[in-house]
Amino acid sequence: MSASLVRRSLGLGPKAFRGDARYCSKVANRIFSGIQPTGIPHLGNYFGAIETWVRLQDEYSSVLYSIVDLHSITVPQDAGKLRQNILDMTASLLACGINPEQSVLFQQSKISEHAALAWILGCLTSMPRLRHLPQWKMKTSGQREEGTLGLFTYPVLQSADILLYKSTHVPVGEDQMQHLELAQDIARIFNNQYGYSIPIPKAILSKTKKIKSLRNPATKMSKSDPERLATVYITDSAEDVLLKFRKAVTDFTSEVTYDPETRPGVSNLVAVHRAVTGQTVEEVVEHSKGLDTARYKNLVAEAVIEKFAPIKNEIERLQAEQGFLEQVLHRGAEKAKELACPFYQEIQKLVGFS
């Protein structure tokens, strides 16, 4: 999305926002989702979340997307790098098509009600319930120490993120379903205890097959992967994209087929190709008949380069406009605050704080 178009959308100041029916406190459906500020997205981030976010803007009238910086500090962060990552993620989301005229894009930590509601919800959540969540087990396995309190309770903060805006739908991947189920359970507990009716959020499951590491297709593509060639970022140069796909792990069978169980490497390439082109897996495999895996790697790389070239250019242009990116987040926080504050005031009265 061009910066000029975003600027026009930012003409909706607070007064205009208050009268905008799309974001009134009572809506039939409301989308909420968040993404951690880990810098430039990779292919898995784009096809697993961001592409869906862009589509949902056109399908729902009330949409909130948060850069969840509170979640990011569950692991050590350099302050300067975190500030830059927040801006880089903002630039990336805008360049990919997130439109502040259609959705509220904001920085989580600017809305203090997130943390305040998380405390209240944490007082309704048992420790055994949190211990059974797979992310806690995965992130603390093999460690000498069990982990931090923030890491342990961050699923409660996720629940607060969702429930604070009375969200009705949350786009999630299958690996996040248990966290959404926690939010659903907490909403029910709160409603039963305080006689309220927080909406029980429903999942919008991603239809995109998970993009795997190019060097180890048994694991998902990740920014924390120590293998540099494993992860393709949406701002990678054409040369880097070609190199990474040429070095992608496949097998000794030369033809292109889709069988994730027995041919995970080639199947991952097919999944990327399908996601980039919008074709079905069957169409991708049919159109690739006669190609060996070496030639197919080049074909997929070229499709990725073509898809992301304009997005890459727009990200790089927006990165040079720090003031503009900060303005986008500031206006988004104003809109989010308009929704969060009245509801949290209701919660305070129910709990007995006011």
Side-chain angles (χ1 to χ4, degrees):
M1 162 176 223
S2 70
S4 60
L5 181 57
V6 177
R7 284 194 181 89
R8 288 198 295 273
S9 74
L10 289 172
L12 288 173
K15 290 183 179 178
F17 169 66
R18 290 189 187 100
D20 189 342
R22 294 178 301 157
Y23 295 104
C24 62
S25 60
K26 294 180 180 179
V27 292
N29 292 301
R30 175 170 289 147
I31 296 286
F32 178 91
S33 194
I35 190 168
Q36 289 202 31
T38 51
I40 299 298
H42 56 62
L43 296 188
N45 300 140
Y46 180 85
F47 291 116
I50 298 172
E51 186 178 52
T52 300
W53 285 17
V54 174
R55 174 175 55 81
L56 291 174
Q57 293 179 132
D58 297 323
E59 297 177 4
Y60 289 81
S61 59
S62 182
V63 181
L64 294 99
Y65 296 136
S66 181
I67 297 175
V68 289
D69 50 343
L70 293 177
H71 290 290
S72 70
I73 63 170
T74 57
V75 297
Q77 297 282 344
D78 173 79
K81 181 63 173 174
L82 178 57
R83 279 190 286 270
Q84 187 58 53
N85 281 347
I86 291 168
L87 294 176
D88 285 347
M89 183 57 73
T90 305
S92 299
L93 293 174
L94 295 176
C96 289
I98 297 302
N99 183 350
E101 191 172 8
Q102 293 178 281
S103 58
V104 177
L105 176 61
F106 69 101
Q107 184 178 337
Q108 177 195 31
S109 64
K110 300 301 182 183
I111 311 300
S112 59
E113 287 81 2
H114 284 257
L117 180 58
W119 176 257
I120 294 172
L121 300 183
C123 293
L124 302 175
T125 308
S126 72
M127 293 177 67
R129 181 75 169 84
L130 296 178
R131 283 198 192 98
H132 283 92
L133 292 172
Q135 279 81 356
W136 170 252
K137 294 179 180 179
M138 178 182 69
K139 291 182 179 181
T140 58
S141 63
Q143 295 185 9
R144 294 179 64 182
E145 298 181 1
E146 194 174 6
T148 66
L149 178 63
L151 183 62
F152 184 64
T153 61
Y154 93 90
V156 179
L157 178 58
Q158 279 187 325
S159 298
D161 297 337
I162 296 164
L163 302 180
L164 181 60
Y165 300 98
K166 300 183 180 179
S167 309
T168 59
H169 294 80
V170 181
V172 292
E174 289 184 2
D175 59 341
Q176 284 290 319
M177 269 305 300
Q178 285 189 298
H179 283 195
L180 180 59
E181 289 166 358
L182 175 67
Q184 294 168 337
D185 291 344
I186 290 176
R188 293 187 185 101
I189 292 169
F190 186 94
N191 291 342
N192 288 336
Q193 181 157 330
Y194 293 103
Y196 199 72
S197 57
I198 297 177
I200 308 301
K202 299 177 182 178
I204 299 176
L205 282 171
S206 173
K207 298 178 181 178
T208 303
K209 299 185 183 299
K210 192 172 293 295
I211 306 300
K212 305 289 189 176
S213 162
L214 295 186
R215 298 297 295 165
N216 179 11
T219 63
K220 67 180 182 179
M221 188 171 285
S222 171
K223 293 179 182 179
S224 61
D225 196 315
E227 173 59 73
R228 188 183 74 84
L229 299 178
T231 303
V232 178
Y233 295 91
I234 64 176
T235 55
D236 276 350
S237 67
E239 293 76 16
D240 279 345
V241 173
L242 281 167
L243 174 63
K244 289 177 180 182
F245 277 99
R246 285 172 180 167
K247 296 292 185 179
V249 170
T250 51
D251 53 43
F252 296 106
T253 303
S254 62
E255 64 179 327
V256 177
T257 61
Y258 185 78
D259 187 347
E261 293 297 321
T262 62
R263 304 194 69 199
V266 174
S267 298
N268 188 39
L269 296 180
V270 172
V272 172
H273 199 187
R274 186 215 68 79
V276 169
T277 62
Q279 298 176 324
T280 65
V281 167
E282 292 74 20
E283 288 170 336
V284 166
V285 172
E286 178 64 27
H287 294 159
S288 303
K289 278 187 175 179
L291 294 179
D292 59 26
T293 51
R295 291 169 60 195
Y296 185 61
K297 288 178 180 181
N298 287 336
L299 179 66
V300 176
E302 289 165 3
V304 169
I305 293 167
E306 181 179 358
K307 166 78 175 178
F308 289 103
I311 293 175
K312 175 180 183 293
N313 292 337
E314 184 65 7
I315 290 173
E316 291 171 352
R317 195 170 66 79
L318 286 168
Q319 285 177 316
E321 300 192 37
Q322 178 176 333
F324 167 66
L325 297 174
E326 291 171 346
Q327 184 185 21
V328 170
L329 292 176
H330 176 73
R331 292 296 182 90
E334 287 182 330
K335 296 177 181 181
K337 192 78 170 180
E338 290 274 342
L339 294 173
C341 197
F343 178 53
Y344 184 68
Q345 288 174 352
E346 291 182 55
I347 298 296
Q348 286 181 307
K349 291 178 182 178
L350 288 169
V351 174
F353 291 166
S354 64

